[in-house]
Amino acid sequence: MSGLEERKRSSTEPFERLVGRTDAAPPMKRPAAVTMGAVLVVLRVVGGAIWLIELAVSWRSLLGEEFDGVEVDAETVNVLLLVVVVPGAVILLVELVLAWLIFLGVNWARIVVMLFATLSISVSFVTWWVGDQELHLDFTLVTLSLDILVMLALSSRAARAYARRPKPRTIRGATGSTELDGS
């Protein structure tokens, strides 16, 4: 009868024990590569904001050069400016949110930012190779170098290990929430 008693469960057994292991993985210190990656993404956002402001300030003269002699009314100029600036601002806000998620250690945000950095580096290379773009120290090289540094920081082993570490998961029940080990 003693073997049967060992297999029986108590009616007062805690919920956490029934679900599985509750000992969470030890907390992992945030690596410098993750912090620097997030800071570099924020610097990229600041650079993009400066570029959008500079574009808005010089918008009329840029349109005047493009449409060489064609008269464009002020309302059309403002609408065209909004068509360019609003999507750019939304992209910068998304990038800022991704920087925060990277800082918190969210893996998909790290991968998305690395994908966009790869695309940005590739587009810069192709436009330079074709001859449509010259790389200048004022802005082009700064953004290109930030993209390369973001790639180096976020693709490091430490950044990958931090983003893929086991995280405690939360089960919400009638009595509140309980943290469980994610592994």
Side-chain angles (χ1 to χ4, degrees), residues 1 7 13 17 38 63 82 88 110 113 119 122 130 145 151 161-162 165 169 178 181:
M1 198 62 143
R7 288 188 283 145
E13 194 170 13
R17 188 169 171 202
L63 282 182
L82 284 176
R110 181 182 70 90
V113 168
L119 290 173
S122 300
V130 171
S145 63
M151 286 293 297
Y162 183 73
R165 73 192 184 283
R169 57 191 169 116
T178 304
D181 183 20

mmCIF file of all heavy atoms in Angstrom, residues 1 7 13 17 38 63 82 88 110 113 119 122 130 145 151 161-162 165 169 178 181:
data_model
loop_
_atom_site.group_PDB
_atom_site.id
_atom_site.type_symbol
_atom_site.label_atom_id
_atom_site.label_comp_id
_atom_site.label_asym_id
_atom_site.label_seq_id
_atom_site.Cartn_x
_atom_site.Cartn_y
_atom_site.Cartn_z
ATOM 1 N N MET A 1 0.804 -1.190 0.000
ATOM 2 C CA MET A 1 0.000 0.000 0.000
ATOM 3 C C MET A 1 0.854 1.264 0.000
ATOM 4 O O MET A 1 0.398 2.305 -0.372
ATOM 5 C CB MET A 1 -0.919 -0.046 1.232
ATOM 6 C CG MET A 1 -2.102 0.864 1.176
ATOM 7 S SD MET A 1 -3.166 0.447 -0.175
ATOM 8 C CE MET A 1 -4.711 0.745 0.503
ATOM 9 N N ARG A 7 2.187 7.671 -4.995
ATOM 10 C CA ARG A 7 1.714 8.186 -6.275
ATOM 11 C C ARG A 7 0.482 9.059 -6.152
ATOM 12 O O ARG A 7 0.148 9.783 -7.068
ATOM 13 C CB ARG A 7 1.423 7.028 -7.230
ATOM 14 C CG ARG A 7 2.698 6.365 -7.719
ATOM 15 C CD ARG A 7 2.430 5.360 -8.789
ATOM 16 N NE ARG A 7 1.891 4.145 -8.161
ATOM 17 C CZ ARG A 7 0.975 3.357 -8.699
ATOM 18 N NH1 ARG A 7 0.474 3.631 -9.868
ATOM 19 N NH2 ARG A 7 0.549 2.289 -8.067
ATOM 20 N N GLU A 13 -2.288 20.379 -3.163
ATOM 21 C CA GLU A 13 -1.023 20.601 -3.846
ATOM 22 C C GLU A 13 -1.042 21.961 -4.557
ATOM 23 O O GLU A 13 -2.034 22.314 -5.207
ATOM 24 C CB GLU A 13 -0.806 19.479 -4.869
ATOM 25 C CG GLU A 13 0.577 19.408 -5.404
ATOM 26 C CD GLU A 13 0.793 18.136 -6.210
ATOM 27 O OE1 GLU A 13 -0.171 17.445 -6.542
ATOM 28 O OE2 GLU A 13 1.966 17.861 -6.511
ATOM 29 N N ARG A 17 3.228 23.674 -8.649
ATOM 30 C CA ARG A 17 3.821 22.344 -8.690
ATOM 31 C C ARG A 17 3.115 21.451 -9.709
ATOM 32 O O ARG A 17 3.730 20.605 -10.349
ATOM 33 C CB ARG A 17 3.766 21.724 -7.302
ATOM 34 C CG ARG A 17 4.519 20.436 -7.215
ATOM 35 C CD ARG A 17 4.662 20.012 -5.787
ATOM 36 N NE ARG A 17 5.202 18.675 -5.756
ATOM 37 C CZ ARG A 17 5.083 17.856 -4.761
ATOM 38 N NH1 ARG A 17 4.423 18.241 -3.690
ATOM 39 N NH2 ARG A 17 5.598 16.666 -4.812
ATOM 40 N N ALA A 38 21.199 49.176 -28.687
ATOM 41 C CA ALA A 38 20.020 50.014 -28.472
ATOM 42 C C ALA A 38 20.378 51.495 -28.572
ATOM 43 O O ALA A 38 19.644 52.283 -29.182
ATOM 44 C CB ALA A 38 19.392 49.702 -27.117
ATOM 45 N N LEU A 63 12.169 71.513 -54.074
ATOM 46 C CA LEU A 63 11.139 71.387 -55.107
ATOM 47 C C LEU A 63 11.394 72.345 -56.258
ATOM 48 O O LEU A 63 11.135 72.006 -57.416
ATOM 49 C CB LEU A 63 9.752 71.633 -54.515
ATOM 50 C CG LEU A 63 9.146 70.483 -53.723
ATOM 51 C CD1 LEU A 63 7.755 70.853 -53.241
ATOM 52 C CD2 LEU A 63 9.098 69.213 -54.530
ATOM 53 N N LEU A 82 4.115 66.682 -46.344
ATOM 54 C CA LEU A 82 3.483 65.761 -45.405
ATOM 55 C C LEU A 82 3.576 64.314 -45.879
ATOM 56 O O LEU A 82 3.753 63.403 -45.067
ATOM 57 C CB LEU A 82 2.020 66.138 -45.190
ATOM 58 C CG LEU A 82 1.767 67.350 -44.300
ATOM 59 C CD1 LEU A 82 0.291 67.670 -44.246
ATOM 60 C CD2 LEU A 82 2.315 67.119 -42.909
ATOM 61 N N GLY A 88 8.047 59.054 -42.683
ATOM 62 C CA GLY A 88 9.388 59.055 -42.096
ATOM 63 C C GLY A 88 9.333 59.139 -40.581
ATOM 64 O O GLY A 88 10.072 58.440 -39.878
ATOM 65 N N ARG A 110 15.464 42.514 -32.164
ATOM 66 C CA ARG A 110 16.880 42.495 -32.551
ATOM 67 C C ARG A 110 17.030 42.029 -33.999
ATOM 68 O O ARG A 110 17.766 42.628 -34.795
ATOM 69 C CB ARG A 110 17.631 41.560 -31.594
ATOM 70 C CG ARG A 110 19.111 41.438 -31.836
ATOM 71 C CD ARG A 110 19.728 40.449 -30.863
ATOM 72 N NE ARG A 110 19.341 39.084 -31.135
ATOM 73 C CZ ARG A 110 20.020 38.263 -31.948
ATOM 74 N NH1 ARG A 110 21.112 38.681 -32.536
ATOM 75 N NH2 ARG A 110 19.605 37.034 -32.151
ATOM 76 N N VAL A 113 15.687 44.750 -36.517
ATOM 77 C CA VAL A 113 16.626 45.872 -36.664
ATOM 78 C C VAL A 113 17.846 45.444 -37.482
ATOM 79 O O VAL A 113 18.319 46.194 -38.332
ATOM 80 C CB VAL A 113 17.022 46.430 -35.275
ATOM 81 C CG1 VAL A 113 18.206 47.371 -35.383
ATOM 82 C CG2 VAL A 113 15.843 47.154 -34.663
ATOM 83 N N LEU A 119 19.556 45.764 -45.013
ATOM 84 C CA LEU A 119 18.959 46.352 -46.214
ATOM 85 C C LEU A 119 19.505 47.754 -46.472
ATOM 86 O O LEU A 119 19.799 48.109 -47.619
ATOM 87 C CB LEU A 119 17.439 46.384 -46.088
ATOM 88 C CG LEU A 119 16.734 45.037 -46.155
ATOM 89 C CD1 LEU A 119 15.246 45.197 -45.854
ATOM 90 C CD2 LEU A 119 16.943 44.386 -47.510
ATOM 91 N N SER A 122 23.031 47.482 -47.789
ATOM 92 C CA SER A 122 23.006 46.964 -49.165
ATOM 93 C C SER A 122 22.542 48.024 -50.155
ATOM 94 O O SER A 122 23.118 48.163 -51.235
ATOM 95 C CB SER A 122 22.087 45.742 -49.251
ATOM 96 O OG SER A 122 22.544 44.727 -48.394
ATOM 97 N N VAL A 130 26.298 51.821 -58.548
ATOM 98 C CA VAL A 130 25.669 52.267 -59.790
ATOM 99 C C VAL A 130 26.117 53.684 -60.137
ATOM 100 O O VAL A 130 26.161 54.061 -61.300
ATOM 101 C CB VAL A 130 24.127 52.174 -59.670
ATOM 102 C CG1 VAL A 130 23.426 52.814 -60.842
ATOM 103 C CG2 VAL A 130 23.699 50.730 -59.534
ATOM 104 N N SER A 145 27.838 54.073 -41.164
ATOM 105 C CA SER A 145 28.649 53.545 -40.062
ATOM 106 C C SER A 145 27.780 53.141 -38.871
ATOM 107 O O SER A 145 28.059 52.137 -38.209
ATOM 108 C CB SER A 145 29.709 54.559 -39.634
ATOM 109 O OG SER A 145 29.102 55.728 -39.149
ATOM 110 N N MET A 151 24.824 46.382 -36.640
ATOM 111 C CA MET A 151 24.959 44.976 -37.040
ATOM 112 C C MET A 151 26.006 44.262 -36.181
ATOM 113 O O MET A 151 25.783 43.133 -35.742
ATOM 114 C CB MET A 151 25.352 44.869 -38.513
ATOM 115 C CG MET A 151 24.244 45.164 -39.471
ATOM 116 S SD MET A 151 22.959 43.935 -39.390
ATOM 117 C CE MET A 151 23.839 42.490 -39.917
ATOM 118 N N ALA A 161 22.689 35.548 -27.001
ATOM 119 C CA ALA A 161 22.417 34.769 -25.787
ATOM 120 C C ALA A 161 21.454 35.518 -24.862
ATOM 121 O O ALA A 161 20.570 34.906 -24.261
ATOM 122 C CB ALA A 161 23.725 34.476 -25.061
ATOM 123 N N TYR A 162 21.615 36.824 -24.764
ATOM 124 C CA TYR A 162 20.733 37.611 -23.903
ATOM 125 C C TYR A 162 19.305 37.625 -24.447
ATOM 126 O O TYR A 162 18.342 37.498 -23.707
ATOM 127 C CB TYR A 162 21.269 39.036 -23.758
ATOM 128 C CG TYR A 162 20.459 39.895 -22.834
ATOM 129 C CD1 TYR A 162 20.503 39.691 -21.463
ATOM 130 C CD2 TYR A 162 19.653 40.908 -23.324
ATOM 131 C CE1 TYR A 162 19.759 40.479 -20.601
ATOM 132 C CE2 TYR A 162 18.913 41.699 -22.471
ATOM 133 C CZ TYR A 162 18.964 41.483 -21.114
ATOM 134 O OH TYR A 162 18.218 42.254 -20.260
ATOM 135 N N ARG A 165 17.656 34.086 -23.997
ATOM 136 C CA ARG A 165 17.703 33.471 -22.678
ATOM 137 C C ARG A 165 16.295 33.022 -22.281
ATOM 138 O O ARG A 165 15.302 33.588 -22.724
ATOM 139 C CB ARG A 165 18.245 34.461 -21.656
ATOM 140 C CG ARG A 165 17.272 35.565 -21.304
ATOM 141 C CD ARG A 165 17.927 36.683 -20.533
ATOM 142 N NE ARG A 165 16.975 37.679 -20.122
ATOM 143 C CZ ARG A 165 16.457 38.600 -20.902
ATOM 144 N NH1 ARG A 165 16.795 38.664 -22.160
ATOM 145 N NH2 ARG A 165 15.600 39.475 -20.428
ATOM 146 N N ARG A 169 7.619 32.771 -17.743
ATOM 147 C CA ARG A 169 6.322 33.029 -18.370
ATOM 148 C C ARG A 169 5.290 33.188 -17.273
ATOM 149 O O ARG A 169 5.438 32.680 -16.174
ATOM 150 C CB ARG A 169 5.941 31.917 -19.337
ATOM 151 C CG ARG A 169 5.903 30.572 -18.727
ATOM 152 C CD ARG A 169 5.773 29.493 -19.794
ATOM 153 N NE ARG A 169 6.003 28.218 -19.138
ATOM 154 C CZ ARG A 169 5.094 27.275 -19.037
ATOM 155 N NH1 ARG A 169 3.926 27.435 -19.578
ATOM 156 N NH2 ARG A 169 5.372 26.156 -18.401
ATOM 157 N N THR A 178 0.968 33.892 -11.851
ATOM 158 C CA THR A 178 2.073 33.111 -11.301
ATOM 159 C C THR A 178 3.159 33.050 -12.342
ATOM 160 O O THR A 178 2.884 32.761 -13.507
ATOM 161 C CB THR A 178 1.597 31.688 -10.961
ATOM 162 O OG1 THR A 178 0.495 31.783 -10.065
ATOM 163 C CG2 THR A 178 2.713 30.889 -10.328
ATOM 164 N N ASP A 181 8.902 29.095 -15.002
ATOM 165 C CA ASP A 181 10.110 29.044 -15.804
ATOM 166 C C ASP A 181 9.735 28.821 -17.260
ATOM 167 O O ASP A 181 8.872 28.016 -17.573
ATOM 168 C CB ASP A 181 11.015 27.914 -15.302
ATOM 169 C CG ASP A 181 12.324 27.853 -16.049
ATOM 170 O OD1 ASP A 181 12.682 28.865 -16.662
ATOM 171 O OD2 ASP A 181 12.974 26.804 -15.990
#
